[in-house]
Amino acid sequence: MNNSVVNTARLLGAGLRALLVLTLVTGVIYPLAVTGVAQALFHDKANGSEIRADGKVVGSSLIGQQRYSLDYFQPRPANGLGENSVNTQYQLILSGATNLSADNEKLVKSVEEATAKAVEDNSTAGHKVKPSQVPADAVTSSGSGLDPDISPAYADLQVHRVAERNGLAVDRVQNLVDDHTEGRTLGFIGEPRVNVLELNIALKELLSSR
């Protein structure tokens, strides 16, 4: 066996050993270490920021759900999402905005129609909603279409409807909204917000306790 064959065999052996070591380190040890640290220090976030109710996972605090009945608080529209016949609650076949400009006729029409519907849905016998009271997040989708939160203004707009449809006092429902209104992160990042899923779970618990 000449020297070139021997050297080639040695190089192949060294390459194979390097491949096995790197596979073990980067493909097994490192992922296990990262997973272990995440589970130990950030257990909730590592598992998808799950929200539980009635002893089971009902969603994530990071992903908005659609198709609530009018007995419950409504989320932002999700006009940028594609239809999904498998998972109609989350519609996760894709996410995104409509990408229509502010003066696009289709967008303007959809906003006008959504505003009229918000006025109709949220007006009650003793409380009439005006178009000027409808906030932007009630009639437009977010950039991803998966926004789990609404503005306090949109939550407040729905209080009278939710109270009437569930036979609750308006003040009681308003207190529920106030209790679930979160301020800006660290006091200056983002805007005040209300997580719709968490609010609706609290509403359901309130109704079941009557």
Side-chain angles (χ1 to χ4, degrees), residues 45-189:
K45 292 181 173 60
N47 289 300
S49 300
E50 296 173 339
I51 295 179
R52 304 182 71 87
D54 299 326
K56 61 183 179 181
V57 176
V58 295
S60 168
S61 63
L62 304 177
I63 301 175
Q65 298 185 16
Q66 299 294 316
R67 306 186 189 282
Y68 290 106
S69 74
L70 287 177
D71 292 351
Y72 291 90
F73 287 89
Q74 302 298 300
R76 290 190 68 166
N79 298 326
L81 298 181
E83 290 297 328
N84 183 343
S85 60
V86 177
N87 188 342
T88 56
Q89 187 175 25
Y90 288 99
Q91 296 184 330
L92 291 182
I93 195 168
L94 58 89
S95 67
T98 59
N99 292 327
L100 300 175
S101 63
D103 60 351
N104 182 279
E105 292 183 1
K106 183 178 179 180
L107 178 62
V108 172
K109 182 180 179 180
S110 70
V111 169
E112 291 174 345
E113 291 175 347
T115 300
K117 188 175 189 307
V119 169
E120 178 183 359
D121 288 346
N122 293 290
S123 292
T124 64
H127 178 80
K128 298 301 180 183
V129 174
K130 300 177 181 178
S132 60
Q133 295 176 299
V134 179
D137 62 312
V139 296
T140 57
S141 58
S142 63
S144 68
L146 301 175
D147 197 337
D149 305 318
I150 57 176
S151 66
Y154 186 24
D156 291 343
L157 185 78
Q158 303 182 60
V159 165
H160 284 80
R161 166 177 52 79
V162 171
E164 181 182 78
R165 293 180 69 95
N166 290 286
L168 294 169
V170 171
D171 290 346
R172 202 170 185 186
V173 178
Q174 184 64 62
N175 288 336
L176 205 63
V177 170
D178 295 341
D179 290 342
H180 286 80
T181 299
E182 300 179 41
R184 293 179 172 86
T185 303
L186 299 179
F188 66 94
I189 300 175

